[in-house]
Amino acid sequence: MKRVAVLGAGGWGTALAILSVHQGYDTTLWVRRADFCHQLQAERENHPYLPGVVLPEEIRLTSCLREAAYGREAVIVTVPSHAVRKLARDLAAHLSGDTLVISATKGLEVGSCRRMTEIWSEEIGGQERLVAISGPNFAAEVARGLPTATVAASTSLAAAEAAQDLLMTSSLRVYTNPDLIGVELGGALKNIYAIAAGMVDGMELGLNGRAALITRGLAELARLGEALGASPLTFSGLSGLGDLILTCTGHLSRNHQLGEAIGRGLSPAEAWQGRAMVTEGVTTCRSAHDLARRLGVELPIVDQVYAILFEGQSPRQMVENLMGRRPRHEREPVKM
């Protein structure tokens, strides 16, 4: 029996722990707060993050990181991006050298603009055992066993295939990809475009406008990816187009919900208020904005979302600014 730890008891972590148990694995779910861990043990339902889904009794719950990780063949990390570096440092002493580390966190670190596997590599070493997964995967649907697909990316084919073998089920198809940079960028930046798409929907600007924004978002994503060494083909796959479509159109997307609230007239602060779950697109927007400037790559949609979230610009001004840009060739490489 494979021994698996899932680190982070949000909706995605809970869903992956359920998937792991259904595969017959010895599964531990690490819950950061002891009080929340006790609540989950008593109720066997993650009311704040995954309501209506029962936690199987086989899932072992703990708030002790050492207990969760010790002796595990694989750990699946689902904590928010801002918590990854501290978790990696705390976890380093409890991992064996051959433990497979699967990053299911979608985001970029504020300040350093590091991808999640870059953080893990810096803190625990062993690039060859690091895998990132990304794709059109709403936690609630994965937990219910509805069909979907995802991609496991690693610089090591053996590690990617190990993650594929671990996660593949009758309802989750897992593909491998050697383009770790592209897969992680696709998973991270799509949240920014989901906020923008939500604004378009909140302002009731129509399906044409939303489709155009998604398509140009994909072009921006590929442009930044190429500047970092990713393959442009990756962004036509599950962690590019697939994830982008889902988060920009699906009502379960937290980032889309945030953007929609702003598009309807709320300020970003008002739209954030009372949200229990992390909206990764907000912090990722800051990082992507900084990264694009360092690289000299122009990301018009990211710039406009950044101006709304952090500089007080209105969503209507975003539309005017994007529609008023000078004429361009569709495939024109845009540098600042």
Side-chain angles (χ1 to χ4, degrees):
M1 181 183 294
K2 294 178 180 178
R3 306 186 71 213
V4 177
V6 179
L7 308 182
W12 191 212
T14 303
L16 289 173
I18 292 171
L19 181 148
S20 177
V21 158
H22 287 168
Q23 288 289 84
Y25 304 149
D26 178 351
T27 304
T28 298
L29 177 61
W30 176 72
V31 188
R32 181 179 61 84
R33 293 181 4 245
D35 60 334
F36 188 39
C37 184
H38 294 150
Q39 178 183 333
L40 292 178
Q41 287 171 330
E43 299 177 356
R44 306 307 295 188
E45 182 180 345
N46 193 334
H47 291 286
Y49 302 111
L50 204 62
V53 177
V54 176
L55 272 69
E57 292 295 331
E58 294 87 348
I59 296 177
R60 186 181 301 107
L61 298 162
T62 182
S63 58
C64 174
L65 189 58
R66 181 185 182 281
E67 178 184 345
Y70 182 77
R72 297 283 148 174
E73 296 170 53
V75 295
I76 304 172
V77 185
T78 68
V79 300
S81 59
H82 67 263
V84 166
R85 190 171 293 277
K86 182 180 185 305
L87 176 64
R89 288 174 179 171
D90 293 344
L91 190 65
H94 307 310
L95 288 179
S96 64
D98 58 353
T99 302
L100 183 69
V101 178
I102 302 173
S103 173
T105 301
K106 298 178 178 181
L108 298 173
E109 186 178 42
V110 173
S112 74
C113 301
R114 294 283 197 272
R115 293 176 287 106
M116 297 299 102
T117 62
E118 289 182 301
I119 296 173
W120 283 102
S121 181
E122 290 172 358
E123 298 297 337
I124 70 171
Q127 177 77 26
E128 68 283 350
R129 61 169 166 162
L130 301 177
V131 180
I133 61 171
S134 184
N137 310 136
F138 280 148
E141 295 188 358
V142 171
R144 291 167 55 200
L146 299 181
T148 187
T150 198
V151 60
S154 177
T155 58
S156 163
L157 177 60
E161 289 180 340
Q164 181 184 48
D165 179 65
L166 186 80
L167 297 171
M168 181 91 82
T169 73
S170 60
S171 61
L172 177 63
R173 281 197 60 79
V174 182
Y175 295 83
T176 61
N177 191 325
D179 185 8
L180 184 59
I181 296 172
V183 167
E184 286 194 279
L185 279 181
L189 268 67
K190 54 90 181 181
N191 287 322
I192 305 170
Y193 302 113
I195 294 175
M199 293 178 192
V200 169
D201 288 342
M203 290 184 282
E204 299 183 352
L205 297 181
L207 300 178
N208 292 345
R210 185 175 66 186
L213 183 138
I214 292 171
T215 308
R216 294 311 301 165
L218 184 62
E220 287 189 17
L221 177 55
R223 188 159 60 238
L224 181 63
E226 284 189 84
L228 290 168
S231 167
L233 292 175
T234 297
F235 303 107
S236 64
L238 291 166
S239 184
L241 184 59
D243 213 348
L244 197 61
I245 291 172
L246 182 71
T247 52
C248 289
T249 64
H251 69 279
L252 294 177
S253 166
R254 299 191 297 273
N255 294 279
H256 184 279
Q257 291 168 7
L258 177 72
E260 190 170 8
I262 295 171
R264 287 176 175 168
L266 295 182
S267 70
E270 291 169 335
W272 290 328
Q273 190 173 11
R275 291 181 178 270
M277 292 185 277
V278 173
T279 308
E280 285 282 11
V282 176
T283 53
T284 302
C285 185
R286 188 187 295 275
S287 296
H289 182 265
D290 292 347
L291 183 59
R293 271 152 180 70
R294 295 178 195 178
L295 296 171
V297 176
E298 190 172 7
L299 305 179
I301 299 172
V302 171
D303 288 345
Q304 293 303 311
V305 174
Y306 179 90
I308 292 168
L309 295 178
F310 303 110
E311 296 177 347
Q313 178 175 279
S314 73
R316 291 287 174 184
Q317 188 63 52
M318 172 188 76
V319 177
E320 291 182 20
N321 291 346
L322 291 174
M323 296 302 291
R325 287 167 53 78
R326 72 167 178 82
R328 298 182 184 272
H329 189 287
E330 185 178 30
R331 298 184 181 178
E332 179 181 352
V334 181
K335 284 282 188 177
M336 301 177 77

